[in-house]
Amino acid sequence: MRESSHHLNNASPARTSTSRLVLAFETSCDETAVAILRGGNRHSGPELLASEVASQIAEHEKFGGVVPEVASRNHLVQAPRLLERAVGAAKIGLAQIDAFAATSGPGLASSLMIGASIAKGLAIGFSKTYLAVNHLEGHLLSPFFGESKIRRNLSLIVSGGHTMTVLVDSVGDYEIIGRTVDDAAGEAFDKIAKLLGLGYPGGPEIEKRAAEGDPNRYDLPRSMSESENFSFSGLKTAVRYLLPKLRGDYLADVCASVQAAIVDVLVSKTIDAAKRYNVDLVTVSGGVSCNKELRRLMTEACKREGLELKTAKPWLCTDNAAMVAFAAMLKLQTGVRSSVAEEIDPNLALAQ
Ligand code: KG4
Ligand code: ZN
């Protein structure tokens, strides 16, 4: 179990009577996370009081992917423990929280249920607001973390389960421009890493080897170049057919060529969409946005096209509850509330 914490050492009791406190759970996949955020005011953005993440990567690594039953059993053990730690780090009492939030989808049903059930229980027990948050909305808004306003932008969400470009007008106003028709970018990294005998998750493993390799050594497919949608399963198949033909020390060059093929498509489709929809700000979020080559080439391309780029901070890219708390706070400020009767939805859509 790998754990990490982010909190302010000088956290003090509520700043003003209007700065609301949100406590959020994230249990959609293989990370258990709890965060506490204090809302900002007209002059300052929200302030993170605690963010606890327990990653189950080690538990799932031996199976080469996430096992739902193992994930939910781990969430059951970790969630109450992280809740206690977050409350201690934030130096607040649970009764002071104004809204309890949880990721309600998309994700694994048996995992989503745990965070959502605890948040609902707390909301009922303390007679406070419950807020169901879409995991993708958490990623989507994370480049603005800590700010008080969301600007119109073209957002690329790249995670293990999703790859999409979204036109964002304001909080809750989203139009999906492109989405993957098969594998997500992170899934492609993970599946190709498995073919190469590398560990899970595959993205960081491939990135590490790619640093020593030649990205032009193997000519791998860039699928659906004429479409706004993405497809990465052809790349995986191409690597599967390529590998038996290779001899010698090819690993770094294959990794660099795979990374180049994925990053190339992500950058060009994002830039094309930003230009087509006349947007001057590009945002990038989700686990794959940790990738330094994606950040480097997206930065270059945005500069070339006169676009501003905002990426989520690396600690906010992979799954965490701070992004869920931030999305919940923004929704709360626009008057959104959820019913405790609202069910989790493993296929929850971000927009129609
Ligand atoms: O957002 P995330 O933590 O979980 C989902 O919501 O799916 O993303 C996890 C994905 C995994 O597929 C992992 O391989 C990928 O993000 N990832 C990376 C890197 N770090 C994580 N992919 C490429 N390069 C990285 N450095
Ligand atoms: Zn995610």
Side-chain angles (χ1 to χ4, degrees):
M1 184 77 49
R2 211 181 53 199
E3 302 192 358
S4 65
S5 312
H6 280 86
H7 58 86
L8 299 180
N9 294 326
N10 59 351
S12 53
R15 245 191 319 209
T16 67
S17 56
T18 54
S19 52
R20 284 181 283 196
L21 288 169
V22 169
L23 188 149
F25 292 88
E26 159 58 47
T27 61
S28 65
C29 189
D30 59 345
E31 257 95 27
T32 318
V34 179
I36 301 174
L37 191 74
R38 177 153 53 209
N41 50 38
R42 257 178 299 150
H43 313 291
S44 61
E47 179 188 9
L48 185 66
L49 302 187
S51 175
E52 302 288 334
V53 183
S55 164
Q56 305 175 8
I57 284 175
E59 278 81 348
H60 299 281
E61 200 171 13
K62 49 185 175 284
F63 304 107
V66 177
V67 182
E69 169 87 14
V70 174
S72 47
R73 282 172 184 269
N74 269 299
H75 289 313
L76 265 183
V77 175
Q78 295 304 327
R81 212 173 60 86
L82 297 189
L83 173 63
E84 208 160 59
R85 272 217 326 237
V87 167
K91 301 195 184 85
I92 50 128
L94 277 176
Q96 289 172 259
I97 301 288
D98 298 289
F100 294 93
T103 302
S104 64
L108 300 168
S110 52
S111 287
L112 289 165
M113 231 176 258
I114 292 166
S117 300
I118 301 176
K120 287 178 185 181
L122 289 168
I124 294 168
F126 287 99
S127 301
K128 298 291 173 63
T129 301
Y130 168 65
L131 263 164
V133 176
N134 185 310
H135 181 80
L136 296 172
E137 191 172 16
H139 280 304
L140 175 92
L141 298 171
S142 64
F144 293 93
F145 189 84
E147 296 180 29
S148 50
K149 278 207 182 63
I150 304 303
R151 279 164 52 203
R152 176 176 153 86
N153 68 92
L154 195 290
S155 160
L156 169 70
I157 308 175
V158 262
S159 70
H162 298 269
T163 297
M164 51 175 76
T165 45
V166 186
L167 181 60
V168 178
D169 252 313
S170 58
V171 177
D173 189 349
Y174 314 126
E175 184 187 342
I176 296 175
I177 306 301
R179 47 162 50 107
T180 180
V181 298
D182 42 53
D183 293 348
E187 198 177 355
F189 272 115
D190 295 339
K191 288 179 174 173
I192 294 171
K194 203 169 176 183
L195 290 175
L196 293 168
L198 301 174
Y200 171 85
E205 296 287 322
I206 290 184
E207 178 173 20
K208 211 169 12 175
R209 270 93 184 169
E212 310 292 318
D214 174 3
N216 300 312
R217 171 81 182 274
Y218 303 108
D219 187 18
L220 295 171
R222 273 77 167 153
S223 307
M224 298 186 79
S225 55
E226 299 306 314
S227 164
E228 290 178 318
N229 288 330
F230 300 85
S231 165
F232 292 106
S233 74
L235 173 64
K236 176 190 63 192
T237 308
V239 174
R240 178 175 292 135
Y241 285 117
L242 173 69
L243 288 181
K245 298 180 197 147
L246 303 182
R247 298 285 174 270
D249 196 5
Y250 55 79
L251 187 60
D253 289 343
V254 173
C255 287
S257 303
V258 165
Q259 180 175 267
I262 296 175
V263 168
D264 206 12
V265 172
L266 294 176
V267 171
S268 63
K269 286 188 189 265
T270 305
I271 301 289
D272 284 354
K275 283 163 55 183
R276 195 170 317 122
Y277 291 90
N278 212 8
V279 180
D280 58 11
L281 173 64
V282 167
T283 65
V284 188
S285 62
V288 180
S289 69
C290 288
N291 188 280
K292 293 192 193 66
E293 192 63 2
L294 172 60
R295 284 173 177 254
R296 188 178 73 79
L297 291 175
M298 192 69 90
T299 303
E300 268 184 28
C302 284
K303 207 178 238 175
R304 207 168 42 237
E305 301 295 338
L307 300 165
E308 189 187 336
L309 173 66
K310 224 181 215 314
T311 50
K313 299 217 164 53
W315 70 272
L316 276 168
C317 289
T318 49
D319 290 348
N320 63 84
M323 69 180 192
V324 179
F326 182 57
M329 184 67 80
L330 292 170
K331 287 160 78 83
L332 204 59
Q333 285 164 353
T334 57
V336 176
R337 305 284 184 275
S338 308
S339 158
V340 287
E342 188 172 316
E343 289 191 35
I344 53 111
D345 180 354
N347 302 311
L348 188 63
L350 180 65
Q352 291 324 306

